[in-house]
Amino acid sequence: DWSVTGVQTCALPISFIEACGLWEDFHDALIQEIKRSLNKQLPERYLARTGERGYVVLANSEREDEHTFRPDVTVTSSGVGTAGEAGVALAEPIVDPEVMSIRAFIEDAFRETFVEIREADSERLVTAIEVLSPSNKRANSEGWNVYLRKRQGLLVGRSANLIEIDLLRGGQRMPMKGPWPLSPFTLLVGRAGRSPNCLVWPAHCVRRLPAIPVPLTPPDADVSLDLQPLVDAIYAEAHYERSIDYSRPMAPPLSASELAFLKS
């Protein structure tokens, strides 16, 4: 029972947040909680701040499925049409047989938020913290390509640390030279100067999310990012239990052990 009065300390509710279309809300809340948690721990010479990147997607009849993987927040949407019930565009009625009906390109502008730790005086980037969105895990989409360029720049540049938090069951994982662990979630830490070698923590639905180190500039010691209490607090405060149907099948489906845990 994941009621507000008794949230279970495990990561299984995250899978249902993803499956029930609540990811955008959860992602933004988690970004803010990560920033607050880090600012409570960071030495005075550092500050955690949120940032965002934007990109535009051209949607047409060949890429309609692009909208099944929405980035975090839609900023603008442009296009001309007639609004029908429930926001569905209705086709213009054709009264002249020579008149053609042609679908126009539509530009959707998106933003994706992240957390950065910077030195307070110089504003030098120390650590970038990314919580992946479904758009980042759709191979060869604009969301994938934009994030991949940033990811590669950080790992190749070796001047800043990268933390990549993947709490999504769906989509394709980021490219690596070695195999990812066989777990639904992964937490990656790439330290400046040690890339392309990264440390990866497997994370499982029916267990507590592991705490991970957040590297700073040597000789300053790491601080800890403990995600599970942040997830628990967001779940309780947002009242997600009112929107989640735990009997709903998921894609990708839960494993046998996860289903057994859910029914226990």
Side-chain angles (χ1 to χ4, degrees):
D1 176 17
W2 282 276
S3 63
V4 174
T5 56
V7 176
Q8 298 294 318
T9 305
C10 76
L12 188 55
I14 299 173
S15 295
F16 287 91
I17 289 171
E18 175 187 359
C20 292
L22 299 169
W23 188 260
E24 295 174 9
D25 184 78
F26 172 75
H27 182 280
D28 282 354
L30 184 56
I31 288 291
Q32 294 299 325
E33 288 297 325
I34 289 173
K35 182 183 76 170
R36 279 192 283 268
S37 174
L38 292 175
N39 275 327
K40 290 178 182 179
Q41 303 177 66
L42 289 171
E44 289 187 2
R45 62 176 294 208
Y46 301 99
L47 291 170
R49 294 288 185 261
T50 54
E52 67 178 47
R53 60 179 167 269
Y55 59 91
V56 173
V57 173
L58 288 177
N60 59 36
S61 60
E62 295 178 356
R63 294 299 302 273
E64 288 178 350
D65 58 351
E66 186 79 38
H67 296 280
T68 64
F69 280 76
R70 301 290 290 184
D72 307 323
V73 178
T74 302
V75 180
T76 61
S77 181
S78 62
V80 178
T82 303
E85 294 183 2
V88 177
L90 300 178
E92 185 74 17
I94 299 176
V95 295
D96 187 332
E98 294 187 0
V99 176
M100 300 174 62
S101 176
I102 304 175
R103 298 188 63 179
F105 283 101
I106 299 174
E107 287 189 354
D108 286 340
F110 300 105
R111 71 173 179 90
E112 295 178 342
T113 54
F114 49 85
V115 178
E116 293 181 336
I117 298 175
R118 293 183 176 270
E119 292 182 348
D121 294 337
S122 66
E123 295 190 356
R124 185 183 72 85
L125 177 62
V126 175
T127 303
I129 302 170
E130 293 277 349
V131 179
L132 296 189
S133 289
S135 56
N136 304 136
K137 298 186 68 178
R138 184 177 180 83
N140 300 318
S141 69
E142 191 65 20
W144 166 283
N145 293 332
V146 169
Y147 173 62
L148 187 58
R149 285 195 294 270
K150 176 180 179 179
R151 185 182 195 260
Q152 291 177 332
L154 288 167
L155 293 174
V156 172
R158 302 184 182 182
S159 61
N161 309 294
L162 171 66
I163 292 179
E164 184 179 273
I165 299 168
D166 184 358
L167 301 178
L168 292 162
R169 300 173 65 91
Q172 183 171 323
R173 287 182 170 170
M174 290 288 108
M176 300 286 282
K177 286 192 173 182
W180 286 97
L182 297 177
S183 60
F185 310 137
T186 56
L187 311 174
L188 176 148
V189 176
R191 292 181 182 269
R194 298 185 187 176
S195 61
N197 295 314
C198 303
L199 295 179
V200 177
W201 282 254
H204 299 270
C205 292
V206 297
R207 303 180 196 169
R208 189 183 193 279
L209 291 173
I212 58 174
V214 178
L216 301 177
T217 302
D220 293 330
D222 299 344
V223 295
S224 178
L225 178 56
D226 193 357
L227 290 169
Q228 189 64 57
L230 307 185
V231 171
D232 291 346
I234 293 168
Y235 183 94
E237 292 169 5
H239 297 289
Y240 285 142
E241 82 286 349
R242 299 177 186 175
S243 303
I244 292 177
D245 179 5
Y246 280 100
S247 65
R248 174 180 176 176
M250 287 197 301
L254 295 175
S255 67
S257 60
E258 291 165 346
L259 285 171
F261 180 88
L262 182 63
K263 295 175 182 178
S264 62

